Amino acid sequence: MFVDSHCHLDFPELAAQLPEILERMRGNHVAQALCVSVNLPDWPRLMELVRGHDNLWASVGVHPDYEDTPDPTVEQLVELAATPKVVAIGETGLDYYRLTGDLTWQRDRFRNHIRAARRTGKPLIIHTRSAAEDTLRIMEEEGAAEVGGVMHCFTESQAVADAAIAMNFHISFSGIVTFKNARELQEVARNIPLDQILIETDSPYLAPVPHRGKLNDPSKVIHVAEKIADLRGITVEAVAEASTKNFFNLFKDIQR
């Protein structure tokens, strides 16, 4: 059994073909998927989608790339996180690649998510791009280790992975790990403890080889597991078992 720890099934290009995607998931033994929030205006639509399916779950949060969207308060996040089927806070974090200038608002938003996670006891889903130093610093300052979580779609160095693991965070690999030019990332996937690994699609983006460049969906997470198994010299079944166990251990509110 596989799980997709991070996808966006509510995005229009996937929501329009949800029955077919769910069927493909069953065919590839992908039993569960976590549908991750990116902003609050679209969050009701996300919740409507997951409520209709026993194997779909949700988070609540505002992505750091969404500049022109309402910023959530700690109290809002805490209130929304109490909604049934919400199992995590995020995705949140920092992104200095897509946005430049004074990004104080991004750091403030990130701090609010960590504070809400500590209030609720729910794990964090963290996005970081070109901002690892500040991301780790804020995680430490705000006590993110108290709740832990996942560094999603990880593309950073071994040192960043080690620092995140030391704060009770899992490392989640997407289709990027299957790309030929992702050699440094592949070394991270080879070396980190198996009990800290998660797998994801981040669909509709980042389709893994052999589907690179095509629309991605949770059924394709099996290819991420296959690549990690190949890198580590273990069976795909071992990666599936470990990543699925890690998923349920982290997102404790999810029912099997």
Side-chain angles (χ1 to χ4, degrees), residues 116-144:
R118 291 181 63 191
R119 290 253 304 261
T120 62
K122 295 183 185 292
L124 286 151
I125 300 170
I126 293 183
H127 167 110
T128 184
R129 190 173 186 190
S130 301
E133 184 177 351
D134 279 359
T135 300
L136 292 171
R137 175 179 57 82
I138 290 173
M139 289 167 63
E140 184 172 4
E141 290 174 355
E142 294 293 338

Side-chain angles (χ1 to χ4, degrees), residues 4-146:
D4 184 352
S5 67
H6 192 114
C7 63
H8 300 285
L9 288 178
D10 61 311
F11 284 16
E13 55 266 60
L14 295 183
Q17 52 175 296
L18 187 60
E20 294 88 346
I21 290 171
L22 293 171
E23 184 60 33
R24 289 198 294 270
M25 286 172 62
R26 285 189 288 271
N28 278 353
H29 308 288
V30 181
Q32 307 268 357
L34 177 51
C35 303
V36 177
S37 170
V38 294
N39 63 48
L40 294 188
D42 292 332
W43 188 76
R45 183 182 67 193
L46 170 63
M47 291 309 303
E48 182 179 359
L49 184 148
V50 302
R51 285 192 191 103
H53 303 279
D54 291 341
N55 62 335
L56 302 181
W57 306 86
S59 68
V60 61
V62 181
H63 193 292
D65 282 349
Y66 284 63
E67 184 174 11
D68 298 320
T69 196
D71 254 324
T73 65
V74 175
E75 290 72 23
Q76 278 180 302
L77 290 168
V78 169
E79 180 181 357
L80 295 174
T83 307
K85 302 210 78 176
V86 174
V87 301
I89 302 293
E91 65 184 283
T92 183
L94 302 176
D95 193 319
Y96 297 170
Y97 179 82
R98 294 187 183 279
L99 298 174
T100 57
D102 184 0
L103 298 178
T104 302
W105 62 269
Q106 229 183 53
R107 293 183 284 274
D108 290 344
R109 179 186 289 177
F110 186 24
R111 291 181 188 277
N112 278 350
H113 282 76
I114 298 174
R115 292 167 187 173
R118 291 181 63 191
R119 290 253 304 261
T120 62
K122 295 183 185 292
L124 286 151
I125 300 170
I126 293 183
H127 167 110
T128 184
R129 190 173 186 190
S130 301
E133 184 177 351
D134 279 359
T135 300
L136 292 171
R137 175 179 57 82
I138 290 173
M139 289 167 63
E140 184 172 4
E141 290 174 355
E142 294 293 338
E146 182 180 315

